[in-house]
């Protein structure tokens, strides 16, 4: 039954893609946009390829001059709820709520950005980083701000390095207290900054985290500074 349902869902989504393309040929951008949105919502969470194709369709319509609607009220409410829950460090719950928010308004770029940040913060294995990268690439597709797109692409590069290094470490012995516990740069490492600003998504915390990743993690003096910080700051 599950295989049959998946087959039917894929057929329905593909039919929506076809309808969207026909609407575009007729110059009916509104109908095309609506069909791509419906395709995204109908595509299974497990079928990320179809969902990305739907985002690409929405992006193509938006970049052709179509003005998308604002985020729905339900989506805004869910996003705010996720932010509050993230401040309580219930990160996985916040990730799940962002998934719901995106499903309500899948054309809103910033939802993907925040979702990707949360997913990367709790990433434990390569597939987790890959999922965060997929979400950030969807943000890039939908964003129209060149500076934000540049910053998002840089984050993808960072996550690719962390993903590859995590895979290497899973096949190697621990290399010391700092590398074993803190080199991943996860949310649990930003103790003082997160406590000071209330959320690891706060722009101040993001700036500090980027400084750490760009200028401290990649060299011995920087790691020498970070090792005692991560060892002693939690109990303090």
């Amino acid at each position: 039954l599950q295989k049959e349902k998946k087959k039917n869902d894929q057929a329905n989504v593909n039919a929506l893609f076809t309808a969207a393309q026909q609407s575009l040929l007729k110059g009916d951008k509104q109908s095309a946009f609506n069909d791509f949105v419906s395709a995204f919502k109908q595509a299974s969470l497990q079928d990320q390829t179809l969902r990305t194709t739907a985002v690409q369709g929405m992006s193509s319509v938006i970049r052709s001059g179509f003005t998308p609607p604002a985020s729905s009220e339900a989506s805004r409410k869910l996003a705010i709820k996720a932010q509050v829950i993230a401040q309580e460090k219930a990160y996985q719950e916040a990730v799940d709520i962002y998934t719901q928010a995106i499903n309500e308004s899948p054309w809103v770029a910033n939802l993907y950005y925040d979702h990707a940040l949360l997913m990367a913060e709790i990433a434990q294995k390569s597939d987790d980083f890959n999922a965060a990268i997929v979400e950030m690439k969807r943000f890039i597709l939908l964003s129209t701000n060149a500076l934000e797109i540049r910053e998002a692409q840089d984050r993808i590069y960072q996550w690719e390095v962390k993903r590859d290094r995590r895979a290497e470490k899973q096949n190697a012995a621990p290399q010391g207290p700092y590398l074993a516990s803190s080199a991943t740069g996860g949310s649990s490492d930003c103790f003082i900054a997160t406590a000071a600003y209330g959320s690891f998504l706060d722009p101040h915390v993001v700036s500090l985290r980027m400084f750490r990743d760009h200028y401290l993690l990649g060299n011995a003096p920087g790691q020498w500074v970070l090792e005692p910080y991560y060892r002693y700051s939690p109990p303090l």
Side-chain angles (χ1 to χ4, degrees):
L1 290 176
Q2 289 182 347
K3 289 183 178 179
E4 188 66 25
K5 183 180 184 303
K6 181 179 179 181
K7 184 177 179 180
N8 290 335
D9 288 344
Q10 290 177 338
N12 291 335
V13 171
N14 287 328
L16 285 166
F17 287 154
T18 300
Q21 293 298 333
Q22 292 174 345
S23 295
L24 285 175
L25 290 174
K26 298 176 183 177
D28 187 353
K29 296 178 182 179
Q30 181 69 65
S31 294
F33 180 81
N34 291 341
D35 286 336
F36 283 126
V37 170
S38 295
F40 181 94
K41 293 183 177 183
Q42 288 193 29
S44 168
L45 278 173
Q46 286 69 44
D47 200 333
Q48 294 297 331
T49 299
L50 285 179
R51 290 170 77 88
T52 294
T53 301
V55 172
Q56 290 171 335
M58 287 182 269
S59 173
S60 67
V61 177
I62 292 171
R63 293 181 189 281
S64 71
F66 176 79
T67 301
S71 173
S72 71
E73 198 64 26
S75 182
R76 288 177 59 86
K77 184 176 180 179
L78 285 166
I80 291 172
K81 180 178 179 181
Q83 292 166 10
V84 172
I85 290 174
Q87 291 174 6
E88 298 173 355
K89 299 187 179 181
Y91 299 126
Q92 185 57 59
E93 185 180 356
V95 165
D96 295 339
I97 294 173
Y98 261 115
T99 299
Q100 299 174 41
I102 288 171
N103 209 55
E104 288 287 336
S105 301
W107 60 88
V108 178
N110 286 343
L111 293 176
Y112 294 95
Y113 183 90
D114 292 346
H115 195 210
L117 282 183
L118 282 167
M119 295 170 74
E121 286 294 326
I122 62 175
Q124 296 296 320
K125 54 185 185 295
S126 296
D127 286 347
D128 298 334
F129 282 109
N130 288 335
I133 289 169
V134 166
E135 285 296 87
M136 192 60 85
K137 286 182 176 178
R138 290 172 182 168
F139 165 79
I140 290 173
L141 282 170
L142 292 168
S143 178
T144 57
N145 185 304
L147 291 177
E148 290 180 348
I149 291 173
R150 176 69 271 166
E151 194 273 339
Q153 185 59 59
D154 288 346
R155 284 194 175 276
I156 289 175
Y157 293 149
Q158 292 176 31
W159 295 342
E160 288 174 341
V161 173
K162 291 181 180 182
R163 176 197 63 196
D164 296 342
R165 287 177 64 82
R166 176 63 61 85
E168 292 172 0
K169 289 173 185 177
Q170 288 175 343
N171 298 321
Q175 300 179 16
Y178 171 69
L179 291 178
S181 63
S182 304
T184 58
S187 61
S188 60
D189 298 330
C190 304
F191 300 106
I192 294 175
T194 301
Y197 292 107
S199 171
F200 72 89
L201 293 175
D202 185 279
H204 298 86
V205 182
V206 171
S207 297
L208 290 169
R209 188 161 56 240
M210 290 181 66
F211 177 81
R212 177 198 65 192
D213 293 345
H214 281 296
Y215 299 106
L216 297 179
L217 279 179
N219 59 82
Q223 293 192 15
W224 181 83
V225 171
L226 290 172
E227 195 279 327
Y229 169 79
Y230 285 119
R231 178 186 297 176
Y232 298 116
S233 64
L236 288 176

